[in-house]
Amino acid sequence: MNDSKYGPHTAAGSRTTRRGFLTAAAAGVAACRSPDSSPAPSLLGRGRRGYGERSSFEGAERSFRPGTTPGTGSSKTPLATTLGIITPSALHFERHHSGVPSIDPAKHALLVHGLVERPLVFTLEDLRRLPSISRVHFIECAGNSGREHRGEPHEDVQKSHGLLSCSEWTGVLLSVLLREVGLRAEAKWLVAEGADACRLARSIPLDKALDDVMVAYGQNGEALRPEQGYPVRLVVPGWEGNTNVKWLHRVHVVDRPYMTREEAPYYTDLMADGKARMFTFVMEAKSVITRPSGGMKLAGPGFHEITGLAWSGRGRIERVDVSTDGGKTWAPARLDEPVLPKALTRFHFPWTWRGDDTWLLSRCVDETGYVQPTREQLVAVRGLNGTDHYNGIKAWHVLAGGEVRHV
Ligand SMILES: Nc1nc2c(c(=O)[nH]1)N[C@H]1C(S)=C(S)[C@@H](COP(=O)(O)O)O[C@H]1N2
Ligand SMILES: [Mo]
């Protein structure tokens, strides 16, 4: 039985062609079914349960630092162990400023008012009667991988990039609600507000609101998790996490941005010249190798699949290139279908490790032609003051002994 942590590790692993690997892998599979290994005795299994749980052998968890104020802070998705592009709801990262409120959906309502013809209150029942859509979108906190920007990288991918998750969201397009209330001519922006104690509020321009913003009540086939804003949240595809207002209870249609607490002092980028970049809503194209990544150890030379995630707040990922020699040469990775706009895209790259000291990097390009920059390019443009909206290329260092370290 092959017990290599990172997949089949075969004698023919030093062969570099894809065909060579596939043959070797097939041989590995055959070895697993060797007639020498006697079948496990059959035992009567456990009974049914109404709401499922994962296997007791699985232990991946969100990580967080213990805080002095338990309600605030964040938890991070274990990106090294999640598979595909959907983040299990139980592992979706969390970021909340006043804890997770417990809201009875029967008592919750969404008020849409301001520069409108007919202010309306929508109950959850009302929302469910309207035409619904389901779309896969990532949410990334603007502060994700900020320590990379500062040049103090975290040791593993959960800590460095884990303020990032992707779900299938179900709900109503905000444009449907805005049509119901009727926009007045002066309407240009809206302020979305959450029902949590901090009343988190963000200004969003109407063209985005009428484009693809969702009022979501579903996540991965069931109701939103409390941590994600139960019973209803805003999903603002491709824009910084903070605009995705959770526990949404008010949409105030206005004629200008309101400079709320979240957008004046925070979520702006202080530049070297003292000016601030504000309303930098879009999360630009970014990618990261999740396996092998910091903290792992390669079982030995030979074949190892490199895999990771790429995403862009501007649309689809066009391509991902991988370098296994510290950036000297690059080759295109294979992208899993479907490649969806403003969603995580999974990439794969076959790699035969010769047992040498090397660096693994990924670089993505989105459908607008935007190329993920290096940290040096980003620092040249933005300086070192701000740490939000960092999307630089990430490298992992593979040591000759197989340990993978942050760079
Ligand atoms: N009402 C409310 N909405 C909120 C927040 C909050 O604290 N309160 N945090 C914001 C921030 S900073 C981020 S990054 C995202 C995180 O969404 P998640 O917790 O579902 O991952 O929610 C945003 N929406
Ligand atoms: Mo955030």
Side-chain angles (χ1 to χ4, degrees):
M1 191 64 192
N2 187 325
D3 63 356
S4 154
K5 195 166 167 204
Y6 305 122
H9 160 218
T10 67
S14 60
R15 288 160 70 173
T16 49
T17 66
R18 177 175 290 231
R19 193 164 159 268
F21 162 67
L22 290 177
T23 314
V29 170
C32 291
R33 299 214 188 103
S34 145
D36 304 341
S37 48
S38 46
S42 63
L43 297 169
L44 184 61
R46 197 183 40 71
R48 297 168 288 183
R49 47 187 171 205
Y51 193 83
E53 271 176 38
R54 65 179 166 181
S55 160
S56 60
F57 297 102
E58 294 297 316
E61 288 199 351
R62 293 186 283 224
S63 66
F64 43 90
R65 286 174 302 171
T68 42
T69 43
T72 61
S74 58
S75 70
K76 297 179 176 183
T77 294
L79 295 176
T81 52
T82 56
L83 308 170
I85 61 169
I86 300 292
T87 309
S89 300
L91 296 175
H92 193 291
F93 86 94
E94 308 158 88
R95 176 80 182 97
H96 31 75
H97 298 73
S98 314
V100 179
S102 169
I103 298 178
D104 177 350
K107 297 190 182 122
H108 189 81
L110 170 60
L111 167 67
V112 185
H113 69 145
L115 298 172
V116 301
E117 304 295 343
R118 302 167 290 281
L120 287 173
V121 171
F122 297 89
T123 64
L124 262 292
E125 277 301 301
D126 295 335
L127 291 176
R128 293 233 184 205
R129 285 176 59 181
L130 295 170
S132 67
I133 50 159
S134 295
R135 290 182 182 169
V136 176
H137 289 300
F138 74 82
I139 294 182
E140 182 182 20
C141 179
N144 196 29
S145 34
R147 288 208 5 199
E148 302 281 323
H149 190 167
R150 290 209 296 273
E152 301 160 14
H154 279 293
E155 63 270 25
D156 65 43
V157 70
Q158 178 168 17
K159 293 203 182 83
S160 66
H161 287 72
L163 293 173
L164 166 76
S165 299
C166 185
S167 295
E168 184 194 64
W169 306 102
T170 298
V172 184
L173 280 174
L174 182 54
S175 60
V176 171
L177 304 190
L178 295 175
R179 213 174 304 130
E180 289 291 308
V181 296
L183 293 172
R184 303 229 303 258
E186 319 89 85
K188 292 281 176 308
W189 288 69
L190 53 84
V191 181
E193 186 187 74
D196 48 339
C198 69
R199 293 281 192 267
L200 183 130
R202 284 299 303 255
S203 306
I204 294 170
L206 263 190
D207 55 353
K208 177 68 174 174
L210 292 170
D211 177 17
D212 57 0
V213 174
M214 294 172 69
V215 172
Y217 46 75
Q219 175 184 6
N220 300 331
E222 60 182 348
L224 291 180
R225 290 284 161 123
E227 295 82 355
Q228 266 66 62
Y230 183 85
V232 57
R233 83 176 301 164
L234 221 50
V235 171
V236 186
W239 284 23
E240 60 182 7
N242 191 263
T243 59
N244 294 249
V245 177
K246 302 191 280 188
W247 312 294
L248 181 71
H249 74 166
R250 190 153 83 105
V251 171
H252 189 198
V253 180
V254 294
D255 58 356
R256 76 194 92 127
Y258 264 40
M259 301 297 185
T260 67
R261 179 186 56 223
E262 300 298 322
E263 57 208 20
Y266 304 124
Y267 299 99
T268 61
D269 304 319
L270 184 60
M271 307 285 281
D273 62 3
K275 288 190 186 144
R277 289 167 82 225
M278 292 185 72
F279 301 112
T280 40
F281 290 125
V282 178
M283 300 306 289
E284 300 284 3
K286 183 166 169 181
S287 71
V288 68
I289 292 170
T290 56
R291 210 172 83 161
S293 59
M296 293 183 179
K297 188 170 190 303
L298 299 179
F303 185 84
H304 298 271
E305 184 185 67
I306 294 173
T307 184
L309 296 164
W311 62 102
S312 166
R314 296 201 187 271
R316 287 186 176 77
I317 286 295
E318 182 76 34
R319 62 184 281 157
V320 179
D321 292 321
V322 168
S323 173
T324 59
D325 57 10
K328 284 192 225 82
T329 61
W330 296 84
R334 173 174 64 82
L335 307 185
D336 268 354
E337 296 287 342
V339 176
L340 300 168
K342 306 172 191 177
L344 294 187
T345 295
R346 168 72 56 178
F347 64 85
H348 304 272
F349 189 87
W351 176 50
T352 300
W353 181 48
R354 288 171 215 292
D356 51 343
D357 187 284
T358 192
W359 286 266
L360 307 177
L361 293 79
S362 67
R363 176 184 66 198
C364 66
V365 183
D366 73 13
E367 64 181 327
T368 71
Y370 176 97
V371 182
Q372 184 182 7
T374 62
R375 176 172 179 271
E376 292 66 38
Q377 288 169 328
L378 267 179
V379 169
V381 177
R382 290 202 215 142
L384 281 167
N385 286 337
T387 52
D388 278 349
H389 307 110
Y390 177 83
N391 67 326
I393 289 174
K394 173 72 186 164
W396 298 112
H397 187 185
V398 179
L399 305 182
E403 286 97 0
V404 186
R405 295 267 178 82
H406 64 282
V407 185

